[in-house]
């Protein structure tokens, strides 16, 4: 899919289990790369293609101190000899997060910006100032939330076996860009089922309109599995991720995929899915985010 990057192209779908006429599969996008696994490289794809064809090889983007998006952007740009500048929300901390360390190792230039100013990054005045300060560049909105990001996420369909008639495809929702790409690429009556990991993310419809998703497209949003909000967790979630690992030897991340998988298992127990459902869950990666957990929280390490 992303031949411009040196990543593992050999992605598998595995069957997790079949019980009471419901089967659950997992698309292992996390296998793309141990650190920048999952959906982020898809969302970057068209931006990277663009910048490679442009005379000014610079990308500017945004994210928090634990952002999978920043890590993926730094990695991809470094591989392609593109200059990357990452605006990090919040004051510069005394010790950098593992994510930001990774970004620096991958030659990303970090610019810290306080939370008040960060709220203005979408304004013309701010983007104008970037041209003055850094010259010509390609700007990627936070999390890749944009049409090219959605088109890139749509490429995930290339890894979804067409002969396997999934009734549901499940994914975690952050900015909803990946969700939108899956919805857009859906040509049959599969229900794309999204699990927001933020509390009170009630503008998904607007987000889908912004990403030019036709209103008749089939999807479902399940708001019950954010565990208190973004990057919030409890013992039950951690226990689930650990036992999922014991059973399947597959690591999940606690910010996104752990919550989505927990939700799918819980909904199965509550008989949410009709009989004969054939469910595909997307492992969107994000495993580097687990580095922010205290040692020993999870029974596995990333690398
Ligand atoms: C960023 C991320 C998501 C959310 O993707 P969006 O396109 O922003 O909705 C889901 N899973 C993982 C692991 C991520 O890192």
């Amino acid at each position: 899919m992303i031949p411009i990057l040196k990543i593992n192209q050999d992605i598998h779908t595995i069957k997790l289990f079949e019980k009471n006429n419901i089967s659950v599969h997992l698309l292992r996008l996390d296998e793309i790369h141990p650190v920048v696994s999952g959906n982020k490289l898809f969302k970057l794809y068209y931006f990277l293609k663009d910048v490679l064809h442009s005379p000014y090889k610079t990308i500017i983007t945004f994210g928090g101190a634990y952002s999978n998006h920043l890590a993926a952007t730094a990695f991809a740009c470094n591989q392609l000899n593109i200059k990357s500048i990452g605006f990090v929300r919040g004051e510069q901390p005394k010790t950098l997060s593992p994510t930001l360390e990774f970004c620096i190792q991958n030659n990303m230039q970090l610019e810290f910006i306080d939370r008040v100013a960060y709220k203005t990054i979408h304004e013309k005045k701010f983007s104008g100032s970037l041209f003055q300060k850094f010259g010509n560049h390609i700007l990627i909105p936070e999390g890749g939330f944009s049409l090219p990001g959605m088109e890139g996420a749509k490429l995930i369909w290339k890894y979804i076996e067409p002969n396997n008639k999934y009734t549901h495809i499940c994914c975690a929702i952050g900015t909803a860009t990946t969700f939108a790409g899956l919805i857009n690429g859906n040509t049959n009556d599969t229900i794309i089922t999204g699990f927001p990991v933020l509390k009170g993310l009630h503008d998904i419809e607007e987000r889908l309109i912004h990403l030019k998703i036709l209103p008749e497209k089939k999807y479902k949003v399940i708001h019950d599995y954010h565990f208190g909000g973004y990057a919030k967790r409890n013992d039950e979630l951690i226990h689930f991720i650990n036992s999922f690992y014991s059973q399947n030897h597959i690591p999940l991340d606690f910010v996104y995929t752990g919550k989505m998988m927990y939700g799918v298992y819980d909904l199965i127990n509550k008989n949410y899915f009709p009989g004969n459902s054939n469910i595909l869950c997307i492992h969107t990666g994000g495993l580097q985010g687990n580095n922010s957990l205290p040692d020993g929280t999870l029974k596995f390490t990333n690398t």
Side-chain angles (χ1 to χ4, degrees):
M1 183 280 306
I2 310 190
I4 51 178
L5 288 173
K6 279 187 230 98
I7 53 169
N8 177 22
Q9 306 282 344
D10 193 18
I11 302 300
H12 301 99
T13 296
I14 62 144
K15 189 169 187 171
L16 292 174
F17 66 86
E18 186 164 352
K19 204 173 96 184
N20 304 336
N21 278 330
I22 292 181
S23 57
V24 180
H25 294 76
L26 185 66
L27 173 61
R28 299 284 314 270
L29 295 184
D30 58 308
E31 289 183 325
I32 285 179
H33 185 273
V35 178
V36 290
S37 55
N39 60 344
K40 294 296 182 281
L41 293 175
F42 288 89
K43 294 197 280 183
L44 288 174
Y45 179 69
Y46 288 107
F47 289 105
L48 295 173
K49 267 184 100 167
D50 249 20
V51 77
L52 283 173
H53 291 118
S54 79
Y56 39 91
K57 306 242 179 298
T58 304
I59 275 181
I60 298 181
T61 195
F62 309 89
Y66 298 94
S67 162
N68 291 329
H69 168 69
L70 279 187
T73 306
F75 169 82
C77 290
N78 195 36
Q79 271 208 5
L80 299 170
N81 285 319
I82 296 163
K83 183 176 170 60
S84 69
I85 300 164
F87 276 83
V88 186
R89 185 179 57 237
E91 304 287 344
Q92 177 158 9
K94 282 203 189 75
T95 42
L96 291 180
S97 66
T99 307
L100 295 181
E101 289 289 356
F102 176 84
C103 290
I104 288 174
Q105 279 158 25
N106 282 276
N107 294 314
M108 179 175 259
Q109 176 182 334
L110 297 182
E111 299 280 339
F112 290 86
I113 161 169
D114 69 68
R115 278 157 206 278
V116 178
Y118 196 86
K119 292 210 172 84
T120 70
I121 61 174
H122 306 292
E123 293 171 13
K124 282 225 164 60
K125 201 173 142 203
F126 183 84
S127 44
S129 74
L130 294 178
F131 283 95
Q132 281 173 6
K133 200 164 166 200
F134 302 106
N136 282 332
H137 58 269
I138 282 181
L139 190 103
I140 308 180
E142 182 173 26
F145 179 63
S146 59
L147 277 178
M150 182 280 289
E151 288 293 340
K154 193 173 162 184
L155 296 171
I156 293 172
W157 275 99
K158 292 197 187 298
Y159 290 99
I160 300 176
E161 294 153 62
N163 49 355
N164 227 325
K165 296 260 181 295
Y166 294 111
T167 53
H168 301 77
I169 292 183
C170 299
C171 73
I173 296 183
T175 63
T177 311
T178 305
F179 186 52
L182 288 169
I183 295 171
N184 194 359
N186 184 16
T187 50
N188 55 33
D189 50 8
T190 306
I191 303 169
I192 310 299
T193 307
F195 295 76
V197 302
L198 293 94
K199 193 174 169 179
L201 192 68
H202 294 307
D203 63 345
I204 290 180
E205 217 167 299
E206 285 94 320
R207 286 170 180 270
L208 296 181
I209 291 168
H210 178 77
L211 298 176
K212 304 258 188 292
I213 301 304
L214 300 174
E216 65 266 24
K217 286 280 193 178
K218 256 193 168 172
Y219 69 88
K220 177 88 189 148
V221 180
I222 295 176
H223 285 283
D224 303 332
Y225 298 99
H226 56 68
F227 286 81
Y230 187 73
K232 296 274 195 316
R233 61 188 151 96
N234 63 17
D235 292 347
E236 209 177 323
L237 178 67
I238 297 299
H239 176 77
F240 173 80
I241 292 173
N242 278 327
S243 62
F244 187 87
Y245 185 78
S246 305
Q247 267 165 34
N248 304 296
H249 300 283
I250 298 169
L252 299 171
D253 82 296
F254 80 100
V255 181
Y256 294 99
T257 57
K259 293 181 180 180
M260 180 270 299
M261 263 342 287
Y262 183 104
V264 170
Y265 276 48
D266 195 51
L267 290 175
I268 289 172
N269 284 334
K270 291 176 172 159
N271 297 318
Y272 169 86
F273 295 104
N276 298 319
S277 288
N278 189 12
I279 303 166
L280 178 70
C281 303
I282 312 279
H283 194 318
T284 41
L287 296 170
Q288 67 91 26
N290 286 344
N291 290 332
S292 69
L293 292 171
D295 278 353
T297 308
L298 297 175
K299 291 187 180 138
F300 54 89
T301 48
N302 293 326
T303 42

